[in-house]
Amino acid sequence: MAVSGSREVDIEAPPADVLAVIADLEGLPAWSSIHKKVSVRERDDAGRPLVAEMTVAVMGITDEQVLEFAWTDTSVSWKVVESTQQKSQTARYDLTETDRGTHLTFEITLDPKIPVPGFIVKRGTKTVLETATDGLRQQVVG
């Protein structure tokens, strides 16, 4: 059963600075406790990741995954192309410039391969959403 979640946060930094932190995938384990290992396989002409391998652990479930990324000046999205624990995953950051910096919206939908108890799914989704927004904000603004 697929699970979806979204969260919004304001970051006192310009969108380009926020996207730069998101694009530094190798730096994810330093500020995202769920990311254990990250390596970029392929980059676009601007140096942004197009394909990356990650080891992610949430609520005691470890997943080895390969993600494909798509970038614009105000967003980044990705999808899982290989995963040991998920049938599918899509996620997206949308950034809107504001007077004080950036309004960020994060959305994710994932479909585990095996049945996972509802309370674990809810707690895991909350962890992912908080890391992807609050953790990112803390990394951007220091």
Side-chain angles (χ1 to χ4, degrees):
M1 180 177 101
V3 177
S4 296
S6 65
R7 195 149 192 255
E8 297 183 28
V9 68
D10 290 314
I11 301 175
E12 292 182 358
D17 291 358
V18 177
L19 280 173
V21 171
I22 296 169
D24 178 20
L25 293 184
E26 291 94 345
L28 265 172
W31 60 269
S32 171
S33 62
I34 65 175
H35 289 87
K36 304 307 177 192
K37 186 172 89 174
V38 178
S39 64
V40 176
R41 280 191 193 171
E42 184 181 337
R43 296 182 184 276
D44 66 12
D45 292 339
R48 300 173 300 198
L50 290 176
V51 180
E53 296 178 34
M54 298 184 182
T55 302
V56 179
V58 180
M59 300 300 300
I61 300 171
T62 299
D63 190 16
E64 303 287 334
Q65 50 189 230
V66 176
L67 306 174
E68 284 184 347
F69 293 83
W71 298 85
T72 73
D73 291 339
T74 59
S75 70
V76 59
S77 61
W78 63 89
K79 65 180 180 179
V80 163
V81 292
E82 294 176 33
S83 170
T84 57
Q85 299 293 329
Q86 298 177 69
K87 293 180 200 173
S88 65
Q89 178 192 122
T90 57
R92 180 177 185 90
Y93 280 112
D94 284 302
L95 293 79
T96 304
E97 189 165 5
T98 66
D99 292 341
R100 300 191 61 186
T102 302
H103 182 77
L104 177 117
T105 302
F106 176 71
E107 300 174 341
I108 188 165
T109 300
L110 58 91
D111 190 2
K113 287 183 177 177
I114 59 171
V116 179
F119 76 95
I120 291 177
V121 170
K122 285 180 184 178
R123 200 175 315 155
T125 300
K126 181 181 180 204
T127 299
V128 169
L129 291 171
E130 287 175 351
T131 300
T133 55
D134 295 337
L136 174 62
R137 178 178 56 209
Q138 290 171 4
Q139 182 67 14
V140 171
V141 298

